[in-house]
Amino acid sequence: MEEKPFPAWSWSVEQCLKEYKVKLDKGLSSFEVEKRLQKYGWNELAKEKGKPLWQLVLEQFDDMLVKIFLVAAFISFILAYLHGSESEESGLEAYVEPFMIVFILVLNAIVGVWQETNAEKALEALKELQCESGKVLRDGYFVPNLPVRELVPGDIVELHVGDKVPADMRIAALKTSTFRVEQSSFTGEAMPVLKGTSPIFLDDCELQAKENMVFAGTTVVNGSCVCIVISTGMNTEIGNIQKQIHEASLEDSDTPLKKKLDEFGGRLTTAIGFVCLIVWIAVALAVAAIPEGLPTVITTCLAVGTRKMAEKNAIVWKLRSVETLGCTTVICSDKTGTLTTNQMSVTEFFTLGGKPTAYQIIHVEGTTYDPKDGGIVDWSCYTMDVNLLALAEIRAVCNDAGMPRHRDTQIAANYLIDRNTVKLGCCEWWIKRSKRVATLEFDRIRKSMSVIVREPNGCNRLLVKGAVENLLERCSHVQLADGSVVPMDEPCRQLLLLRLLEMSSKGSRCLGLAYKDDLGEFSDYYAESHPAHRKLIDPACYSSIESDLVFVGVVGLRDPPRDEVQKAIEDCREAGIRVIVITGDNQSTAEAKGEDFTGRSLTGKEFMSLSPSEQVKILSRPGGKVFSRAEPRHKQEIVRLLKEMGEIVAMTGDGVNDAPALKLADIGISMGITGTEVAKEASDMVLADDNFNTIVSAVAEGRSIYNNMKSFIRYSLNLSSLLWVNLVTDGPPATALGFNPADANIMRKPPCRSDDALINSWVISSYVGIATVGIFILWYTQASFLGINLVSDGHTLVELSQLRNWGQCHSWSNFTVAPLAVGGGHLINFSDPCDYFLVGKGKAMTLSLSVLVAIEMFNSLNALSEDSSLAKLPPWRNPWLLVAMAVSFGLHCLILYIPFLASVFGVVPLTLNEWFLVILFSAPVILIDEILKLVGSRRWITKKEKTA
């Protein structure tokens, strides 16, 4: 049952306790817990009922082409049965084709069912985020290991470092001076979040702003507190995410290729039906017209693509995702860790010079935690001043960072010191020199932390770091480069604020550094037994201790963009792909990419407050966009709107909060290193290196595969008129086309749209018909062609009008035919002259079939690329195709020159002159396709120039 929601974050602790009729020191009674369990249910995520196996199996056959193949298999079975009855033989070889069609369809169904069941693991992965037990106050006593499924709203729970939060809860009291929670997987925030007890006076509040709330599935990283359970089970934020994942899975749409194959299947069905109406041999022709190899070749192309992508660190869960990537028009990307390195690094710092209005700016190179990566730019170790020494000491000693806490910005400045060991001194050296004796923890009010250290001279000193604006309010003096300390006047303060603004505008997170030598009662502080220790355990005293400070300088830190990201984004623009950044970070940090984002940067809340028409208008504008402070529902809505606008959307993400959008997108892409299991299970592809550039490489590979599949379909449709050509000769070249290399300009073209035509090869198809019928007519009516003797076999020539009306042969007077010589010196005599058009058509049929096969071989060369000329992409770029052509041509020669096979297929051997004729009729298909490619290329260039 759903509980009554209320904005606990905007209520005081006393109001929340009153709402749930509970006391902070007593907890709920066992009787009250039983009542609330009846009302709210268990604190666990619902188990979504999956589809039954029979329904999954049937869904795999709900496809236009699959239905066509089923009909083809049925017709093939009927033909095989009739053939066996007429010949009074078992005719098992006749059943090979229908059995192969059924086998392929069953295999595809098995793969489809496996993928469907595998996709729903994202919901199971969510359950793993829930803890099993917690410390709960009941009947006035703490139960140390109460199963969390028994929690109800109003329960009092105690949290400690390392605990997983068992439900959505309002913080009632802190037991330590600070309390931090790692919730990046829910909100996208790069750092652990400091929590407190003060109410947030906003009714409609972002998750990131609910600083007095903790959410189920997050982890405590610092401190301890007492909380009031507000929401349990499916009413928690993680429960909402599960609902969104389930809803997104129900909205799964077909991939671009699937849509086009369905459309193609419908057109193919219409074409076959039309042919069946006008051709008396409709049944056999209908079966022959269906490219039975289509599912197999498409699966092969996709499988080859997944292997190539894996080599480029893109691991694909679902085969269909490969071609979807090739049609991607929009990439919605997370920022932290995907576009950036997720390693906070110092980029610059500044201190004052010889007077309060002078300053020095020092730039730092390096983008990782490696001390050997980068260093101070253009600076000699012999020009070090007192300010730089003070900066080094404060950053080294007033620092709790370490390598295991990769998300802490303190690490960055730590490694600034290590990068410049010779210049500023090693962190370890400073830590040994200045021994820490006390720590004043960071809190949200004063926005700073500090340490009291014992200097080598025996005196205590206070070292402080924090938000620059807050620190300046408590600073009364500044230190100059020569070590002198002077009062901070207003011009000096304004200068420091101006420099802060300049650094912040570049996306840097700025830390102010200061110190204090006159510590009063803390001048001789040494341990907890000191009389002044009582003030160190009361955070309310920290601001007075950190007053009258001496300002030293500012350090700017930044999560730098990956080196290859700029080029990758430019490649996307050239390829017609828009990049939209959707992040949980602050707006200023998200915008820090060196561009003007006026009108293109909004928070998730701002975007959702717009009308639907305004939302579509913003998303339709060209160029990149940035959405900051985005919650799961914001991401999901942006993806849904883009899909409704006809875009093919790729969505990247690593957190639990990304899972619904990953599931909803045409292709969800999760991070392999930093990604949660929930995100990985909800995605279609995983980046093994968390690198945006890998996505761009995968898109290029997807486009190549998509083009290869179009090449096969175009190729097979031109030539699938006979079962022999369709099943045997088409197979090897069609499969080899899946190994085509990518076009050189594949990422300089716009992505395919979902409404683009899958194939457009009517010119080639028309020529195939003209050539095959033309050589048939030529053999019957002409004695020679371009100097090639056509009557060396002694066959009788007829008029074209006679050939067109051969069915009226018996009414012709004085019509006679000469014996016809076929292979091996065998002569065919015609007792009935009219048999010349039935029994005697073997040579003409063989010529037509051979032209068909030869055109097929040449057309497979055309299919190397949809747009590139053979001069730019020569045949040897795909050696597998040359091998496949040789195999197919060899198979054709076998049925021509082995007597037994020739009699089975009704063909006869060809002479050398006749092979020359075959080449003359089939080779022009290359010239025609080259002209079509040239025209298409010029149109594309003209269109691109107009767009530019």
Side-chain angles (χ1 to χ4, degrees):
M1 177 179 178
E2 287 196 10
E3 59 198 77
K4 178 185 176 181
F6 75 98
W9 60 87
S10 65
W11 289 22
S12 67
V13 173
E14 292 73 22
Q15 286 176 305
C16 293
L17 291 170
K18 184 178 179 180
E19 171 73 17
Y20 283 113
K21 301 174 183 177
V22 64
K23 293 183 178 180
L24 200 60
D25 58 344
K26 295 291 185 181
L28 295 174
S29 66
S30 299
F31 176 73
E32 185 64 25
V33 168
E34 289 298 325
K35 286 174 58 180
R36 297 191 184 190
L37 274 176
Q38 293 294 324
K39 180 180 180 181
Y40 299 111
W42 298 107
N43 177 35
E44 58 186 6
L45 299 180
K47 296 180 180 179
E48 300 291 347
K49 189 176 180 181
K51 297 177 183 177
L53 182 62
W54 65 266
Q55 186 176 349
L56 290 176
V57 173
L58 286 180
E59 286 179 356
Q60 308 311 310
F61 293 91
D62 186 19
D63 180 282
M64 180 59 70
L65 278 178
V66 170
K67 292 173 182 176
I68 294 175
F69 294 141
L70 285 173
V71 173
F74 176 75
I75 295 174
S76 295
F77 272 116
I78 298 297
L79 290 176
Y81 175 77
L82 294 175
H83 174 75
S85 300
E86 291 174 0
S87 59
E88 298 182 355
E89 297 176 0
S90 62
L92 292 178
E93 65 277 1
Y95 290 94
V96 171
E97 181 185 348
F99 274 124
M100 284 303 299
I101 297 174
V102 172
F103 173 75
I104 290 170
L105 295 179
V106 170
L107 188 62
N108 284 344
I110 292 172
V111 172
V113 170
W114 175 79
Q115 288 181 345
E116 186 85 16
T117 54
N118 191 54
E120 297 308 316
K121 289 183 179 177
L123 300 180
E124 296 300 321
L126 271 176
K127 296 180 176 61
E128 295 178 7
L129 292 177
Q130 295 182 298
C131 57
E132 295 180 358
S133 61
K135 188 176 181 180
V136 184
L137 186 64
R138 295 270 179 90
D139 297 311
Y141 299 95
F142 273 104
V143 182
N145 294 299
L146 182 79
V148 296
R149 71 188 299 266
E150 298 178 14
L151 285 179
V152 294
D155 260 325
I156 305 299
V157 179
E158 191 171 295
L159 295 175
H160 297 272
V161 174
D163 287 348
K164 274 189 174 180
V165 179
D168 287 3
M169 302 189 290
R170 170 70 158 86
I171 298 175
L174 297 182
K175 301 192 71 176
T176 55
S177 59
T178 58
F179 181 75
R180 288 186 177 89
V181 175
E182 169 61 64
Q183 59 182 41
S184 61
S185 62
F186 280 83
T187 63
E189 294 163 294
M191 297 171 58
V193 179
L194 188 70
K195 298 289 185 176
T197 59
S198 302
I200 310 298
F201 297 108
L202 290 172
D203 288 338
D204 184 15
C205 191
E206 301 168 338
L207 285 179
Q208 294 94 329
K210 295 177 182 177
E211 296 167 354
N212 54 17
M213 297 284 295
V214 289
F215 305 105
T218 58
T219 305
V220 179
V221 296
N222 170 252
S224 62
C225 70
V226 176
C227 304
I228 309 166
V229 175
I230 302 299
S231 301
T232 59
M234 293 300 292
N235 295 307
T236 60
E237 290 297 330
I238 195 173
N240 290 335
I241 289 175
Q242 171 160 326
K243 292 175 187 174
Q244 292 167 1
I245 292 175
H246 181 66
E247 290 168 2
S249 67
L250 297 178
E251 293 183 31
D252 275 352
S253 57
D254 292 335
T255 67
L257 180 66
K258 173 70 163 55
K259 294 175 183 177
K260 293 173 185 178
L261 285 176
D262 282 347
E263 182 183 350
F264 160 61
R267 292 178 178 177
L268 185 62
T269 304
T270 303
I272 291 171
F274 179 74
V275 170
C276 291
L277 289 174
I278 61 174
V279 182
W280 69 276
I281 52 171
V283 173
L285 187 57
V287 175
I290 297 172
E292 292 91 341
L294 187 59
T296 306
V297 173
I298 287 178
T299 302
T300 303
C301 286
L302 296 177
V304 170
T306 60
R307 179 179 58 80
K308 290 182 179 179
M309 287 184 178
E311 293 172 355
K312 298 178 180 178
N313 291 318
I315 302 169
V316 179
W317 293 138
K318 302 173 183 177
L319 290 180
R320 296 283 181 181
S321 303
V322 177
E323 57 87 10
T324 306
L325 264 175
C327 297
T328 298
T329 59
V330 176
I331 297 177
C332 296
S333 177
D334 188 22
K335 180 183 75 71
T336 306
T338 307
L339 298 176
T340 64
T341 63
N342 199 20
Q343 296 189 25
M344 295 297 293
S345 304
V346 171
T347 57
E348 64 178 318
F349 55 94
F350 78 88
T351 60
L352 292 175
K355 55 183 180 179
T357 55
Y359 60 88
Q360 59 176 338
I361 301 173
I362 299 173
H363 297 279
V364 183
E365 291 180 337
T367 58
T368 68
Y369 295 145
D370 186 355
K372 298 178 181 179
D373 176 20
I376 292 179
V377 179
D378 298 329
W379 182 63
S380 169
C381 62
Y382 301 108
T383 61
M384 184 167 56
D385 59 38
V386 176
N387 268 351
L388 292 176
L389 283 173
L391 182 146
E393 180 183 14
I394 297 169
R395 287 305 306 132
V397 182
C398 187
N399 196 331
D400 293 327
M403 281 307 292
R405 288 168 59 189
H406 289 300
R407 292 184 181 269
D408 202 319
T409 56
Q410 298 182 53
I411 299 174
N414 225 9
Y415 281 81
L416 157 68
I417 312 300
D418 279 349
R419 285 195 192 112
N420 304 280
T421 301
V422 177
K423 308 175 184 68
L424 296 181
C426 180
C427 286
E428 294 181 2
W429 184 87
W430 282 108
I431 292 170
K432 290 178 181 178
R433 176 187 179 277
S434 305
K435 183 175 176 59
R436 186 192 297 198
V437 295
T439 301
L440 284 70
E441 292 280 359
F442 179 92
D443 66 46
R444 191 172 296 280
I445 297 173
R446 70 187 209 286
K447 295 184 178 179
S448 62
M449 77 158 285
S450 58
V451 295
I452 299 174
V453 298
R454 179 67 55 85
E455 295 289 300
N457 61 7
C459 297
N460 284 355
R461 170 181 269 195
L462 182 71
L463 307 178
V464 189
K465 70 173 183 183
V468 180
E469 301 97 322
N470 296 60
L471 215 57
L472 286 176
E473 292 176 1
R474 285 176 273 139
C475 288
S476 58
H477 295 74
V478 293
Q479 179 171 280
L480 304 181
D482 59 1
S484 60
V485 176
V486 298
M488 179 187 292
D489 55 17
E490 190 58 28
C492 178
R493 187 183 301 273
Q494 292 303 318
L495 172 68
L496 296 175
L497 290 173
L498 179 62
R499 284 298 309 144
L500 171 66
L501 180 62
E502 291 176 0
M503 292 176 69
S504 300
S505 65
K506 300 175 186 176
S508 296
R509 295 181 179 179
C510 298
L511 287 176
L513 308 176
Y515 71 89
K516 181 179 180 180
D517 284 329
D518 184 9
L519 299 185
E521 60 185 316
F522 292 98
S523 295
D524 60 347
Y525 181 87
Y526 54 87
E528 294 181 4
S529 57
H530 191 277
H533 181 71
R534 67 186 185 281
K535 291 188 176 180
L536 293 180
I537 60 177
D538 183 6
C541 299
Y542 289 177
S543 293
S544 62
I545 298 172
E546 295 176 355
S547 62
D548 198 23
L549 301 173
V550 178
F551 190 82
V552 175
V554 177
V555 174
L557 309 100
R558 190 179 179 192
D559 183 8
R562 293 178 180 269
D563 294 336
E564 63 277 3
V565 162
Q566 187 63 37
K567 183 180 183 304
I569 291 179
E570 289 175 1
D571 290 342
C572 285
R573 287 173 180 167
E574 191 171 7
I577 301 171
R578 290 189 293 151
V579 178
I580 296 177
V581 178
I582 309 178
T583 178
D585 265 342
N586 292 320
Q587 190 167 15
S588 59
T589 305
E591 291 177 1
K593 300 297 173 192
E595 294 184 29
D596 179 14
F597 281 98
T598 304
R600 296 190 289 129
S601 175
L602 296 91
T603 65
K605 188 176 179 180
E606 289 171 346
F607 181 76
M608 295 301 292
S609 66
L610 300 174
S611 66
S613 60
E614 289 175 321
Q615 291 176 342
V616 171
K617 185 178 179 181
I618 288 174
L619 292 176
S620 300
R621 290 174 186 165
K625 293 168 187 63
V626 173
F627 295 97
S628 52
R629 305 295 280 179
E631 296 182 23
R633 59 192 179 93
H634 300 153
K635 297 181 179 183
Q636 197 172 5
E637 188 60 28
I638 291 170
V639 171
R640 180 179 287 109
L641 282 171
L642 287 168
K643 290 181 66 176
E644 289 175 357
M645 291 163 57
E647 305 285 359
I648 307 299
V649 184
M651 173 76 196
T652 75
D654 57 359
V656 175
N657 61 326
D658 297 317
L662 290 173
K663 193 74 175 174
L664 182 62
D666 291 296
I667 176 164
I669 305 171
S670 63
M671 305 297 110
I673 300 173
T674 60
T676 61
E677 287 304 312
V678 178
K680 292 176 185 176
E681 295 292 354
S683 64
D684 305 293
M685 190 176 87
V686 176
L687 301 183
D689 57 359
D690 289 12
N691 195 328
F692 183 82
N693 195 50
T694 301
I695 302 176
V696 181
S697 299
V699 169
E701 188 63 42
R703 288 190 174 190
S704 174
I705 293 164
Y706 185 84
N707 287 344
N708 290 347
M709 288 189 292
K710 286 179 66 176
S711 296
F712 160 71
I713 295 171
R714 181 182 65 170
Y715 164 74
S716 61
L717 281 183
N718 288 336
L719 302 150
S720 54
S721 298
L722 299 172
L723 285 175
W724 168 253
V725 175
N726 193 13
L727 293 176
V728 181
T729 319
D730 272 4
T735 304
L737 288 173
F739 295 88
N740 278 354
D743 287 354
N745 62 346
I746 197 166
M747 290 300 284
R748 293 198 292 271
K749 300 176 184 176
C752 61
R753 305 288 300 186
S754 58
D755 55 354
D756 285 348
L758 183 62
I759 54 169
N760 188 15
S761 56
W762 63 270
V763 176
I764 299 292
S765 300
S766 299
Y767 180 75
V768 172
I770 293 170
T772 51
V773 174
I775 199 169
F776 187 95
I777 295 172
L778 191 74
W779 185 83
Y780 267 109
T781 62
Q782 301 295 320
S784 65
F785 182 76
L786 296 179
I788 300 174
N789 183 12
L790 301 180
V791 291
S792 59
D793 56 5
H795 74 274
T796 302
L797 297 178
V798 297
E799 297 293 333
L800 179 59
S801 59
Q802 291 179 306
L803 185 60
R804 289 174 57 189
N805 301 289
W806 67 270
Q808 302 174 13
C809 171
H810 292 288
S811 64
W812 299 343
S813 58
N814 302 321
F815 177 68
T816 59
V817 293
L820 172 64
V822 294
H826 178 66
L827 286 176
I828 301 177
N829 293 298
F830 303 99
S831 56
D832 183 353
C834 292
D835 287 343
Y836 180 52
F837 297 103
L838 296 174
V839 181
K841 66 179 181 180
K843 178 64 70 73
M845 282 183 55
T846 303
L847 287 170
S848 290
L849 179 62
S850 297
V851 165
L852 195 61
V853 171
I855 288 179
E856 180 177 357
M857 297 301 103
F858 288 127
N859 205 37
S860 65
L861 298 179
N862 292 334
L864 271 168
S865 171
E866 188 178 13
D867 304 295
S868 296
S869 166
L870 286 174
K872 293 182 179 179
L873 193 67
W876 50 86
R877 289 287 300 277
N878 185 352
W880 291 109
L881 179 59
L882 298 178
V883 172
M885 289 172 61
V887 170
S888 292
F889 194 76
L891 289 172
H892 181 64
C893 289
L894 284 179
I895 67 167
L896 260 62
Y897 296 103
I898 295 179
F900 170 74
L901 294 177
S903 63
V904 170
F905 284 92
V907 294
V908 297
L910 298 180
T911 65
L912 186 60
N913 277 348
E914 289 164 344
W915 274 115
F916 282 141
L917 185 65
V918 168
I919 299 300
L920 281 175
F921 268 75
S922 55
V925 75
I926 292 181
L927 180 61
I928 294 171
D929 199 68
E930 289 291 297
I931 294 172
L932 292 175
K933 288 176 181 178
L934 179 62
V935 173
S937 177
R938 288 185 175 177
R939 284 180 179 174
W940 173 69
I941 292 172
T942 304
K943 184 178 179 181
K944 187 175 182 181
E945 289 174 348
K946 287 182 179 179
T947 304

